[in-house]
Amino acid sequence: MGVVDDAEQPGFITTTLDKLLRWGRSRSMWPVNAGIACCSLEMMTTGAARYDFDRFGIMFRSSPRQADVMIVPGPITKKMAPIVQRVYNQMAEPRWVIAMGSCAISGGTFVDSYNVLPGAETILPVDIYIPGCPPRPEALLYGCLQLKKLISETSTIGSSRKPMYVPPVLPEEWPLELLGEYDALEAGAVWVQPERDSPPVTPLGDAESAPEDEL
Amino acid sequence: MFGSGLLKGLGITLRHALGRPVTELYPFEHKNPPANSRTFIAMHVNEEGAPACRACNTCIVGCPDRVLKLVKDPDDPKRAVEFVVNSGRCTYCGLCVENCPFDALYFTQDYERATRDKGALIYHLIEDGACTHEGEVDRP
Amino acid sequence: MSAAMWIHALLWLVGLLLLIAVVTVMGVWWERKFIGHLQRRRGPLHHGFHGLLQLPADMVKMISKEDIVPDSADPWLFQIGPLMVVVPAIAAMAALMFAPGFGLLDMNHGLFYIFAFQTLLPLGFAVIGWSCASKFTLIGALRAAAQLISYEIPMLLAALGVVVAAGSMRLTDIINAQAGVWYIFKEPLGFAIFGIAVLAEMNRTPFDLPEAESELVAGYQTEYSGMKFGFVQLAEYSVLFTGSYLVSALFLGGWNMPFLPASPLWLLLKIVACMTMTMWFRGTFPRLRVDSLMSLSWKWLLPIALVNIMAVAALALALPGIY
Ligand code: SF4
Ligand code: SF4
């Protein structure tokens, strides 16, 4: 949902509106109240008295229609995948996804399992990755502040739909709902069963692509 | 008695409201996590600044999640040229740190690692035979 | 109607709409802040002075959100639903008097007018819940209709006690009749019944069954996104304001204050105190069960309200000077 879809040359009013929207959206992120696994306990802790999400206007809404952010707190099993995907589809644009914890980032310790997806980005367009197992509440708050920064840096001019990912070959084990224009058929990551008997020294998937300036 | 419980509850919440909130204002006041909390893996260096790792592979064998990657120097099998950590898959179980016979690895308390780029979660501890960060010299 | 009357009405319309906006913004802010402190949290803190810019940000976001109409929903009813809640809630505020002669319309049946429009609310909730064709909204709407209708009767009967004592349905008369003793001291039973029933009319905890978050996702407003949801919230806070006004006007003396000159300030203070009271309840009490909600209304409040009104009538006949 942009200010105007496909604006060629944004005028003064458009850019002012854009600034206002970015200000409003980044300061009012309501996550949908959906816990998947153990990371959701840490998510609740962050909402409770000691860390208090509400200081930043982050307020859990039970209904995905009224939520803006989906925090994926845990491994997505094949059985859970259609439900996670349906909750994401029920959210109104603009929407964002936070992958919280190692399981939501890459499958974590369950990645060799027969029924866990290798990360939330297999089906959802993830914006922020918060590593940890589970991340400390401060780490989650830091991740939310990173998302706030991302939202206030993202231009709202032009179309910014973020559809769900659908793999080019639909998996048989977990039935995804196809919703027509709300799917991104080409963007989906293909789900591959990882090798199970790996040698001790495993070449990491994309270790070469890691930025050099970390640490 | 009917109703006294309600009044008691109201009293408790009122006491909370008048007392001091327990909230820590996180980004503005940093409280360091407890010393035994496990966050990111880092590498010790010895006195000359070289990484303490002797490339023995013990940590990699012990890791349940295939997080670590080690490339040995072909000339010197006791020297690691590259040591990569995929922190997006690590469970922070601590097996690698405990297993290391040379106490080369340790956990930092740096939790502010959220990122927009998944690739940034894969970081090098050793690159071209040198430590990529200011490792601690003192061993715990 | 003369031009002056039109201008008067227009000014009041704008003023009331502004009042509703301010009440909603400040009410939500104060609610989040106060409930936060009740739970030893801080509430909104970092956006604006102590989180005062939080609500404007929420509104900007809500206006710019996608407006989803579910496939299975009845499109016409779905669009008109929020209006059917907002319009009666705002229309009921037209009869509020803030000082002698200071109000949009000093109707001689003002109380009746307010209750008449509040009675329309369950219809709006039912339309909202029915149009979405979702189980959660339907259960929420049915609960709202059942609750609002059954609590209306004790509320009206308790208010009738005040009307009997004051001898008028004009809000100004009722408040002026309390220049000496407030009705809360003359009719404590009526006050208790009215308070409980108004709490249920406003869908506030412990009577927030229609939107019970732990059972019904968000109750009747589950399917509404963006500003339609905002409208339902707006209606809720207008009803909260009207209910708090009614409690302060009927039982707490309105603009009267003992030993001090009458002033609209006292009225506003009492309204804020009543609203804070509901928020305090919300931060403390658990929710009632559906069946105990119904039995509380029909088995307890209704008979006691009937006894109360007869007692008040008898006292008014027996002691005409005092009652
Ligand atoms: S902490 Fe555990 S999961 Fe992480 S690298 Fe070490 S052994 Fe592997
Ligand atoms: S870090 Fe320790 S255990 Fe791992 S290869 Fe180096 S010396 Fe061996």
Side-chain angles (χ1 to χ4, degrees):
Chain A
M1 290 285 283
V3 178
V4 254
D5 287 356
D6 309 321
E8 300 260 302
Q9 279 176 325
F12 170 72
I13 296 178
T14 319
T15 45
T16 315
L17 251 180
D18 172 49
K19 264 186 210 148
L20 182 72
L21 284 196
R22 278 197 251 163
W23 174 82
R25 285 175 181 177
S26 63
R27 272 152 187 77
S28 153
M29 307 184 290
W30 294 356
V32 55
N33 196 351
I36 295 176
C38 22
C39 276
S40 57
L41 293 170
E42 214 71 3
M43 187 171 88
M44 293 167 212
T45 311
T46 321
R50 181 137 173 212
Y51 298 99
D52 193 9
F53 258 153
D54 207 10
R55 285 185 291 138
F56 297 98
I58 303 174
M59 187 171 79
F60 285 104
R61 285 300 309 180
S62 303
S63 167
R65 300 271 189 225
Q66 295 141 19
D68 315 294
V69 181
M70 183 170 187
I71 300 178
V72 184
I76 302 182
T77 56
K78 284 185 196 166
K79 200 146 188 168
M80 197 68 184
I83 296 158
V84 171
Q85 173 248 349
R86 169 185 270 214
V87 169
Y88 181 73
N89 276 331
Q90 282 173 337
M91 282 161 65
E93 299 272 5
R95 49 191 172 175
W96 290 272
V97 178
I98 293 178
M100 179 187 180
S102 294
C103 300
I105 294 174
S106 63
T109 192
F110 306 109
V111 71
D112 291 338
S113 163
Y114 65 95
N115 66 344
V116 171
L117 304 192
E121 60 177 356
T122 317
I123 48 173
L124 305 177
V126 178
D127 294 290
I128 298 285
Y129 301 88
I130 307 176
C133 192
R136 293 187 62 77
E138 291 104 328
L140 178 57
L141 261 177
Y142 180 77
C144 289
L145 294 182
Q146 291 298 102
L147 180 62
K148 177 178 161 185
K149 218 163 118 198
L150 172 71
I151 296 174
S152 51
E153 282 168 10
T154 314
S155 167
T156 59
I157 299 171
S159 172
S160 61
R161 278 192 33 237
K162 281 208 244 124
M164 172 198 82
Y165 289 172
V166 175
V169 183
L170 276 188
E172 284 175 7
E173 303 106 317
W174 32 293
L176 285 177
E177 264 177 286
L178 291 186
L179 295 163
E181 57 167 320
Y182 285 96
D183 307 323
L185 277 162
E186 73 288 342
V190 194
W191 189 70
V192 196
Q193 179 85 34
E195 294 171 55
R196 302 196 67 183
D197 299 314
S198 43
V201 183
T202 324
L204 280 168
D206 36 4
E208 277 72 37
S209 68
E212 315 297 329
D213 54 351
E214 274 303 304
L215 266 184
Chain B
M1 256 302 282
F2 178 75
S4 67
L6 299 182
L7 291 181
K8 207 169 150 194
L10 286 176
I12 289 171
T13 45
L14 186 66
R15 210 159 58 236
H16 285 178
L18 299 179
R20 234 179 88 74
V22 294
T23 310
E24 292 170 11
L25 306 176
Y26 155 64
F28 305 103
E29 51 180 62
H30 272 272
K31 288 237 170 73
N32 283 332
N36 59 354
S37 79
R38 300 197 289 251
T39 40
F40 285 84
I41 298 168
M43 173 84 64
H44 281 299
V45 291
N46 60 19
E47 285 76 6
E48 293 93 62
C53 173
R54 311 307 300 164
C56 69
N57 252 345
T58 315
C59 56
I60 292 161
V61 174
C63 176
D65 301 337
R66 312 202 309 273
V67 170
L68 309 169
K69 179 192 170 190
L70 173 69
V71 178
K72 294 186 190 187
D73 191 345
D75 306 326
D76 181 2
K78 288 193 174 177
R79 185 168 165 271
V81 191
E82 244 183 85
F83 195 101
V84 191
V85 180
N86 181 358
S87 65
R89 200 192 275 171
C90 179
T91 35
Y92 306 95
C93 60
L95 287 179
C96 53
V97 175
E98 268 178 33
N99 278 355
C100 179
F102 303 97
D103 282 345
L105 300 172
Y106 67 99
F107 279 116
T108 63
Q109 259 96 52
D110 170 24
Y111 46 79
E112 295 185 333
R113 292 296 187 116
T115 167
R116 302 172 197 182
D117 173 17
K118 194 179 174 186
L121 295 176
I122 300 171
Y123 60 89
H124 289 245
L125 286 182
I126 302 177
E127 205 171 11
D128 293 339
C131 226
T132 48
H133 62 290
E134 303 272 311
E136 282 176 27
V137 179
D138 293 338
R139 299 204 175 148
Chain C
M1 275 168 79
S2 65
M5 280 176 78
W6 277 108
I7 289 168
H8 171 84
L10 255 175
L11 276 181
W12 265 103
L13 206 65
V14 175
L16 276 181
L17 288 180
L18 268 179
L19 178 75
I20 292 163
V22 169
V23 161
T24 313
V25 169
M26 295 304 290
V28 176
W29 173 79
W30 175 235
E31 173 152 25
R32 281 169 76 169
K33 198 83 192 161
F34 186 62
I35 289 188
H37 276 272
L38 286 179
Q39 297 167 348
R40 297 207 147 183
R41 294 188 287 118
R42 275 286 179 61
L45 188 61
H46 298 315
H47 301 146
F49 176 74
H50 280 266
L52 268 176
L53 285 183
Q54 188 56 57
L55 257 289
D58 282 350
M59 282 184 159
V60 167
K61 180 207 74 180
M62 268 198 239
I63 290 173
S64 71
K65 281 233 21 135
E66 186 187 3
D67 189 18
I68 296 179
V69 181
D71 251 0
S72 53
D74 185 329
W76 196 74
L77 282 183
F78 189 82
Q79 305 285 357
I80 210 171
L83 278 185
M84 290 188 65
V85 184
V86 172
V87 169
I90 293 177
M93 291 177 81
L96 304 189
M97 299 298 297
F98 296 98
F102 185 69
L104 173 55
L105 267 179
D106 193 6
M107 282 177 256
N108 54 358
H109 284 86
L111 201 56
F112 184 77
Y113 173 89
I114 293 173
F115 286 139
F117 272 105
Q118 294 227 329
T119 315
L120 285 179
L121 282 175
L123 187 65
F125 289 141
V127 164
I128 283 184
W130 188 267
S131 65
C132 299
S134 149
K135 293 183 192 74
F136 293 126
T137 60
L138 187 58
I139 297 175
L142 291 182
R143 279 185 184 184
Q147 173 180 325
L148 263 59
I149 288 172
S150 39
Y151 276 86
E152 225 147 56
I153 300 162
M155 181 176 81
L156 290 180
L157 287 176
L160 215 54
V162 172
V163 173
V164 166
S168 167
M169 269 190 159
R170 186 194 289 264
L171 278 168
T172 322
D173 294 347
I174 294 177
I175 294 175
N176 281 338
Q178 302 177 64
V181 186
W182 298 354
Y183 284 135
I184 180 175
F185 301 117
K186 285 185 183 171
E187 303 172 22
L189 203 57
F191 172 73
I193 295 166
F194 192 79
I196 293 173
V198 156
L199 214 56
E201 283 289 299
M202 300 188 293
N203 287 342
R204 305 291 297 187
T205 320
F207 306 104
D208 63 341
L209 285 117
E211 43 175 311
E213 289 223 328
S214 45
E215 309 154 24
L216 292 183
V217 186
Y220 51 81
Q221 50 196 3
T222 303
E223 295 289 338
Y224 282 90
S225 66
M227 209 49 212
K228 288 210 192 91
F229 167 65
F231 269 130
V232 179
Q233 291 291 92
L234 201 75
E236 246 164 53
Y237 279 88
S238 319
V239 172
L240 175 63
F241 183 82
T242 318
S244 307
Y245 174 90
L246 282 179
V247 172
S248 1
L250 296 189
F251 290 96
L252 299 181
W255 48 73
N256 296 308
M257 201 70 165
F259 315 120
L260 287 170
S263 147
L265 197 68
W266 307 132
L267 182 60
L268 278 184
L269 240 139
K270 284 165 192 171
I271 292 173
V272 170
C274 285
M275 287 169 84
T276 309
M277 208 54 199
T278 64
M279 289 159 196
W280 189 7
F281 290 163
R282 182 172 165 189
T284 306
F285 292 153
R287 192 175 298 129
L288 252 68
R289 238 173 34 230
V290 184
D291 57 328
S292 45
L293 177 93
M294 285 297 132
S295 63
L296 175 67
S297 165
W298 293 105
K299 290 189 196 158
W300 294 94
L301 293 187
L302 184 58
I304 298 175
L306 284 172
V307 170
N308 173 59
I309 188 171
M310 286 204 233
V312 168
L315 279 170
L317 276 181
L319 312 161
I322 300 168
Y323 264 85

